[in-house]
Amino acid sequence: MSAVLEAPRAAAQGSVPIIELRGVSKRFSNPLDFAGRLVKRLGVKVREDVVHAVDGVDLSVRKGEVVGLVGESGCGKSTLGRMVAGIMPPSDGQVVWRGQDLTKLSGADAKRAKLRTQMIFQDPYASLNPRLKVAEIVGEAPQYHGLVPRGGLEAYVDDQLRRAGLDPSLKRRYPHQFSGGQRQRIGIARALAVQPDFLVCDEAVAALDVSIQAQILNLFMKLRRELDLTYLFISHDLGVVEHLSDRVVIMYLGRVVEEAPSEEVFARPNHPYTRALLAEVPRIEARKRVFAGVQGEIPSPLNPPSGCHFHPRCPFAFDRCRAERPALKQVAPGHRSACHLNDAA
Amino acid sequence: MSTTTAGAPPAAVPPAARVETPFRRFVSEFAASRLALFGLVLFCIIVLVAVLAPWIAPQNPYDLAQLDIMDGRLEPGSVGGSGITYWLGTDDQGRDMLSGIMYGLRISLTVGAGSAILACLVGASLGMLAAYAGGRTDSLIMRLVDLQLSFPAILAALMILAFLGKGILNVVIALVVVEWAYYARTVRGSALVERRREYIEAAQCLALPTHRIIFRHLLPNCLPPLIVVGTMQVARAIALEATLSFLGLGVPITEPSLGLLIANGYEYMLSGKYWISFYPGIALLVTIVSINLVGDQLRDVLNPRLKK
Ligand SMILES: Nc1ncnc2c1ncn2[C@@H]1O[C@H](COP(=O)(O)OP(=O)(O)OP(=O)(O)O)[C@@H](O)[C@H]1O
Ligand code: SF4
Ligand SMILES: [Mg+2]
């Protein structure tokens, strides 16, 4: 699989960002129910539950790049992916698409921007409308947006299905008649049918069998070469990401803690959290270094720890970590990390 | 979507690939229960009788010229002055009970189905709006629903009719007012679940307009519970209408529904002239039971929680 990846990597360097997040945050609040509002009126202190799903993230993805986004469950990966795909507005900050603020675009421009970025979802069962035939699932958007000439839809849908590795003669069937891997291919065909150049894959293979995973990953890489696609590849599995990504971004509780070219992250991980994660990656060649693994529970995002979010689980934590949020700083060319240990050195 | 379904060469589909549509699956699962099939057949017969009443009823019970007051309160099987046989007897105005029941069914079913459809349109739209808009809109609509559901339906309907006056249309309005809340609550519940599913996000990604997402993607997936509630509510509406008519606030006396027929015969029950109330009562009972048999099976088949 790795031989496939060599060629486009050089091209990725130095080109313009296709998407850029500037200080993007997303907060979810549970509005108080009636009883809650009532006791608040009466002067009782009631806190509205606010989840900082994404907290001040800067990130840019250049054209042709495959960026892997990694983190434990609940750290805000999907939320970040949705904001990148333009289906969820950020609470703070800007999502800049090819130099334009996504939230400020309107009408035809907003639609074009949205179409150029598509998402591939985790659950191959929930991501397809069970009441539509495959041909309708794939053909609806291109027809609605006028991407195909009149009368050309049949052939167009067939092309999309074939490209995603499906037999077009099955297009009159309903999603429940397909296997998980086939359904994921339908989802890919649906996304590609609106001619995107950027795919956000949110745990796109996590729900599949290992053998099927490899097929779908290979399909992603084939499509990348054929269509010159850019990927944001979200996963909680560093092993999958290592195979595909040019660059890896590690998230912890809504924040980016480390960001570096793929080989760099695996060869010289800087952040204690990354190092703990790496210890969890199953490897064929035994590594000499042995890490402690990620100890302890993931803290509640409702009530994140002060300072560095990782301090309750970090073996190197010291006083400053509890008080001050570490900034994302360059530790090597193209390699950034958010840890106070880097200042001490 | 006409272009997607038209013009495909039939040869492209292998003959072995018999498409198992969700509808076919539904039909075979529904037919698995003999009792439900029996209910469905019964209900179809009732509907047929009601629809064909003007052609198959021995008499037009609403045409006062056809009624012979001398034939009043005849026993079932009696032969009237004009030579007509009253198989189910007559009421105090000499009206043939069999014809009265056939025409009464017409009114009961029309009122029941009409109010259910209107209530469904109103309730489903409000429920969908509540689920999709959320926030204040949601709170406002759901408070109204709570208010409506906590108030006894019959009392609310009586108050509305006391205000609006008698009449078929007014009965329908009263029934819509007391029933929309069930539809709204049902649709909101399933829409809240469905809208979190990823195919809705995918539709948003594909930049499809909101109304298309709601009506083409969200609503069809919220239909099953709505159909179940709708079926049950038709039965409820028929019963409510009968109650209102029985209490003298429903349909006008000149065009009696089943409820009014029962009410008309009520005073003669104790004097042994049971048939004036009894047979319309049986017709009402059979109608409601047949609808409920169908509704129960629909609920079992369409409720995903009961499946595997
Ligand atoms: N629509 C929402 N409303 C309220 N809270 C939400 C919403 N979406 C996400 N959250 C919360 O935001 C946090 C981040 O969620 P997110 O789905 O982005 O995590 P994730 O990294 O994708 O996790 P996973 O690996 O489990 O998919 C979680 O605590 C989640 O409960
Ligand atoms: S800042 Fe402190 S707590 Fe956070 S990772 Fe670095 S050493 Fe650990
Ligand atoms: Mg997720």
Side-chain angles (χ1 to χ4, degrees):
Chain A
M1 216 186 298
S2 55
V4 167
L5 303 172
E6 303 304 324
R9 196 163 287 177
Q13 307 296 324
S15 37
V16 283
I18 203 166
I19 198 111
E20 207 182 338
L21 304 186
R22 296 183 190 149
V24 164
S25 296
K26 183 72 191 180
R27 289 180 296 274
F28 294 109
S29 58
N30 261 350
L32 292 175
D33 58 2
F34 182 71
R37 282 202 304 271
L38 195 71
V39 287
K40 193 170 182 179
R41 273 280 169 75
L42 297 175
V44 183
K45 275 216 186 319
V46 196
R47 207 169 51 88
E48 270 189 69
D49 289 346
V50 179
V51 178
H52 277 257
V54 173
D55 186 6
V57 166
D58 296 304
L59 175 72
S60 70
V61 180
R62 289 185 295 271
K63 186 153 174 31
E65 220 180 4
V66 177
V67 174
L69 182 60
V70 184
E72 282 164 302
S73 182
C75 72
K77 307 182 295 293
S78 298
T79 306
L80 193 74
R82 289 188 188 109
M83 290 192 286
V84 167
I87 57 173
M88 185 181 266
S91 311
D92 275 323
Q94 288 178 302
V95 180
V96 180
W97 180 79
R98 292 169 185 270
Q100 293 167 298
D101 188 338
L102 211 52
T103 52
K104 296 220 170 66
L105 290 180
S106 59
D109 291 336
K111 194 192 279 180
R112 198 172 324 118
K114 224 178 198 177
L115 286 180
R116 295 281 286 279
T117 307
Q118 288 299 310
M119 271 183 99
I120 310 290
F121 298 91
Q122 166 170 5
D123 186 344
Y125 290 88
S127 61
L128 303 176
N129 186 340
R131 300 202 173 257
L132 297 182
K133 292 186 188 129
V134 171
E136 295 168 317
I137 290 172
V138 176
E140 180 181 12
Q143 189 189 36
Y144 177 81
H145 295 296
L147 298 178
V148 278
R150 262 182 202 292
L153 191 64
E154 285 286 320
Y156 186 79
V157 168
D158 289 357
D159 284 346
Q160 307 306 318
L161 291 176
R162 223 172 278 126
R163 188 160 60 190
L166 281 165
D167 181 355
S169 68
L170 303 178
K171 68 181 171 182
R172 305 252 167 271
R173 297 197 177 185
Y174 288 86
H176 74 262
Q177 297 174 287
F178 292 89
S179 68
Q182 283 176 315
R183 285 163 157 255
Q184 207 57 321
R185 288 175 192 270
I186 297 170
I188 294 169
R190 170 179 63 191
L192 294 180
V194 293
Q195 301 161 13
D197 50 13
F198 184 22
L199 291 187
V200 177
C201 304
D202 188 359
E203 310 264 15
V205 297
L208 305 174
D209 288 348
V210 178
S211 58
I212 312 285
Q213 278 191 8
Q215 290 174 14
I216 300 292
L217 291 176
N218 282 335
L219 175 64
F220 279 133
M221 290 306 112
K222 180 182 83 108
L223 293 169
R224 177 193 189 187
R225 272 172 290 138
E226 285 175 8
L227 302 171
D228 196 17
L229 294 174
T230 306
Y231 286 95
L232 178 64
F233 201 92
I234 299 174
S235 180
H236 59 255
D237 181 351
L238 261 178
V240 168
V241 162
E242 181 181 13
H243 280 300
L244 325 171
S245 311
D246 302 318
R247 203 147 55 84
V248 175
V249 175
I250 316 268
M251 270 181 91
Y252 186 76
L253 277 190
R255 295 177 183 169
V256 171
V257 295
E258 183 159 9
E259 185 195 334
S262 196
E263 309 85 25
E264 180 93 357
V265 168
F266 289 92
R268 283 175 292 283
N270 176 281
H271 198 277
Y273 176 62
T274 313
R275 287 192 247 161
L277 270 185
L278 277 178
E280 291 186 335
V281 184
R283 288 175 172 285
I284 298 164
E285 81 267 35
R287 288 259 162 162
K288 279 179 219 82
R289 286 173 293 172
V290 175
F291 297 102
V294 190
Q295 302 261 318
E297 291 288 301
I298 308 174
S300 159
L302 274 175
N303 199 3
S306 60
C308 173
H309 282 347
F310 191 54
H311 81 247
R313 299 164 82 187
C314 179
F316 312 104
F318 54 107
D319 285 347
R320 191 179 166 199
C321 305
R322 280 174 271 277
E324 192 187 327
R325 171 180 177 170
L328 203 56
K329 286 180 190 157
Q330 178 141 331
V331 292
H335 189 162
R336 299 193 296 162
S337 174
C339 175
H340 291 312
L341 286 177
N342 294 320
D343 292 349
Chain B
M1 282 286 109
S2 60
T3 42
T4 59
T5 49
V13 184
R18 181 177 168 278
V19 177
E20 192 210 358
T21 66
F23 182 70
R24 273 196 202 141
R25 203 161 42 143
F26 162 73
V27 168
S28 69
E29 279 178 28
F30 183 87
S33 160
R34 298 265 162 250
L35 199 58
L37 270 188
F38 172 71
L40 188 62
V41 169
L42 207 57
F43 182 67
C44 288
I45 293 174
I46 291 169
V47 170
L48 217 60
V49 166
V51 170
L52 297 178
W55 294 280
I56 59 173
Q59 180 188 70
N60 180 350
Y62 301 158
D63 184 359
L64 293 177
Q66 284 189 28
L67 304 186
D68 185 351
I69 198 83
M70 298 304 287
D71 287 350
R73 292 178 297 231
L74 291 182
E75 280 191 35
S78 315
V79 179
S82 55
I84 172 174
T85 309
Y86 300 118
W87 293 110
L88 297 182
T90 60
D91 68 2
D92 54 348
Q93 297 177 49
R95 190 184 276 128
D96 174 33
M97 287 314 300
L98 181 62
S99 308
I101 289 171
M102 287 178 168
Y103 275 77
L105 269 177
R106 258 168 102 82
I107 296 186
S108 294
L109 286 179
T110 311
V111 170
S115 64
I117 290 170
L118 280 179
C120 181
L121 284 178
V122 174
S125 310
L126 286 173
M128 212 55 140
L129 182 68
Y132 210 83
R136 269 172 198 278
T137 320
D138 187 21
S139 311
L140 184 71
I141 294 175
M142 289 325 284
R143 286 304 84 75
L144 271 176
V145 166
D146 289 345
L147 193 71
Q148 186 65 66
L149 293 182
S150 61
F151 207 76
I154 184 72
L155 200 57
L158 280 174
M159 283 164 61
I160 294 165
L161 282 177
F163 181 72
L164 293 177
K166 284 186 180 189
I168 292 183
L169 188 65
N170 289 347
V171 173
V172 170
I173 293 175
L175 290 180
V176 169
V177 171
V178 300
E179 290 198 335
W180 70 273
Y182 290 92
Y183 297 93
R185 193 180 54 179
T186 308
V187 163
R188 176 178 174 271
S190 45
L192 280 181
V193 174
E194 288 295 325
R195 70 165 298 190
R196 281 172 199 275
R197 296 173 72 95
E198 290 172 341
Y199 68 85
I200 297 295
E201 277 181 48
Q204 290 169 340
C205 261
L206 295 168
L208 297 172
T210 307
H211 61 84
R212 199 179 169 103
I213 296 178
I214 291 182
F215 288 108
R216 194 177 153 80
H217 294 267
L218 198 53
L219 187 58
N221 286 291
C222 299
L223 278 186
L226 198 59
I227 292 171
V228 174
V229 169
T231 318
M232 300 300 196
Q233 292 299 318
V234 170
R236 215 176 88 101
I238 291 175
L240 259 178
E241 182 275 333
T243 314
L244 291 171
S245 295
F246 183 86
L247 294 174
L249 273 166
V251 299
I253 194 102
T254 47
E255 301 191 351
S257 66
L258 293 177
L260 195 51
L261 287 176
I262 298 172
N264 285 343
Y266 191 61
E267 51 185 302
Y268 303 108
M269 276 304 262
L270 293 179
S271 56
K273 300 185 171 35
Y274 67 93
W275 59 88
I276 308 180
S277 281
F278 182 71
Y279 290 116
I282 293 291
L284 184 66
L285 190 73
V286 170
T287 308
I288 291 176
V289 167
S290 70
I291 297 176
N292 278 325
L293 285 179
V294 172
D296 276 344
Q297 178 68 356
L298 280 179
R299 188 182 49 210
D300 290 352
V301 172
L302 292 175
N303 189 342
R305 266 175 305 170
L306 296 178
K307 277 196 214 163
K308 47 177 156 77

